[in-house]
Amino acid sequence: MRLLPWTGHDARGERLEIREAHRRDAARLLEHMAAIVAETEFMLQAAEDPLPEVDEQRVLLDHFARLKGCLQLVAVRPSGGVGRDPVVGSLSLINGQTSRTRHIAHLGMGVRESCWRRGVGSKLLDLALTWARAQPILERVTLQVYRRNAAAHALYRSRGFVDEGELIDEARVGDTLEDLLGMSVDVGQP
Ligand SMILES: CC(C)(COP(=O)(O)OP(=O)(O)OC[C@H]1O[C@@H](n2cnc3c(N)ncnc32)[C@H](O)[C@@H]1OP(=O)(O)O)[C@@H](O)C(=O)NCCC(=O)NCCS
């Protein structure tokens, strides 16, 4: 059965589609990124940090689509071709590009605050991990999460990620230095 696109409903019964981002999604993905970095302090990118231009994002998405260990997912509200299918969540997997690092994919994700606690993050993560397990090139998915980010930490733990270590004062948020936790999950062939 084909994994992507996935169509269904979130926990409140609203339609949801999760698919690989296409170059035509570049502008709405950037709008989504701008929104989530403004809504939460738990991203490594801040609202003041520049995002790519739309043209650059298209090139990045094309590049991602060609790489065997990279995935960019978007969770959208399907409008049946009427509207612009707003992006409510996103997840990226980016693997290393050297012979020594290509077995590891680094994960980043975010869901719009208005859609939290509806199962969107879980569905994105489940699809990404199933996809990763089907890529012979990948053996592990890693990430970094703010130590204070209890929601994301609980989500990752529930999907088998284990704590690997602490990165002390790794991120500066305003005047505060924040610790990050390194986490990983095995996605290699059994
Ligand atoms: C973390 C995040 C992606 C979760 O997305 P979501 O769509 O709300 O997640 P779900 O509804 O699928 O919830 C999955 C699990 O996450 C945990 N969780 C989510 N929100 C939580 C909260 N506010 N408090 C505690 N646990 C929470 C729970 O374990 C939950 O499972 P449950 O509903 O069975 O209890 C979302 O809160 C987010 O985008 N946060 C800001 C950005 C961020 O932190 N990104 C991760 C960077 S490493």
Side-chain angles (χ1 to χ4, degrees):
M1 210 178 88
R2 244 177 105 199
L3 181 69
L4 297 166
W6 174 90
T7 52
H9 297 85
D10 70 17
R12 292 208 197 152
E14 280 193 58
R15 289 177 67 207
L16 188 69
E17 179 176 299
I18 298 180
R19 54 177 167 77
E20 288 186 65
H22 185 268
R23 65 186 343 259
R24 66 176 171 273
D25 296 312
R28 72 191 102 179
L29 179 59
L30 288 170
E31 279 168 25
H32 165 74
M33 293 305 299
I36 56 173
V37 297
E39 283 174 354
T40 170
E41 56 182 3
F42 289 139
M43 305 295 285
L44 286 175
Q45 183 150 17
E48 64 268 25
D49 294 323
L51 287 164
E53 297 295 327
V54 176
D55 285 351
E56 293 168 332
Q57 186 65 43
R58 283 195 194 108
V59 172
L60 280 172
L61 290 174
D62 286 344
H63 188 58
F64 262 37
R66 282 194 295 270
L67 294 174
K68 290 191 175 72
C70 291
L71 178 70
Q72 177 66 62
L73 291 181
V74 284
V76 300
R77 295 282 185 218
S79 61
V82 179
R84 295 189 58 231
D85 293 3
V87 174
V88 296
S90 62
L91 182 152
S92 62
L93 285 177
I94 303 177
N95 75 321
Q97 294 302 310
T98 70
S99 58
R100 294 180 177 180
T101 63
R102 65 172 59 108
H103 63 294
I104 305 278
H106 192 77
L107 183 146
M109 67 184 294
V111 173
R112 289 297 304 269
E113 190 173 5
S114 57
C115 299
W116 286 355
R117 298 309 299 255
R118 297 182 182 202
V120 178
S122 309
K123 193 69 205 174
L124 276 164
L125 190 53
D126 288 342
L127 289 167
L129 292 177
T130 302
W131 180 89
R133 290 192 172 99
Q135 311 307 310
I137 195 176
L138 295 181
E139 290 175 29
R140 230 147 51 94
V141 171
T142 65
L143 58 85
Q144 293 175 359
V145 59
Y146 285 81
R147 187 204 289 279
R148 287 195 299 114
N149 191 351
H153 194 241
L155 171 60
Y156 298 137
R157 292 284 296 261
S158 74
R159 266 54 189 182
F161 282 82
V162 293
D163 294 354
E164 284 200 321
E166 302 172 357
L167 299 158
I168 305 299
D169 291 349
E170 186 75 3
R172 186 182 296 282
V173 181
D175 294 333
T176 313
L177 290 171
E178 297 271 355
D179 300 343
L180 303 182
L181 296 177
M183 302 185 81
S184 76
V185 67
D186 191 355
V187 294
Q189 309 306 306

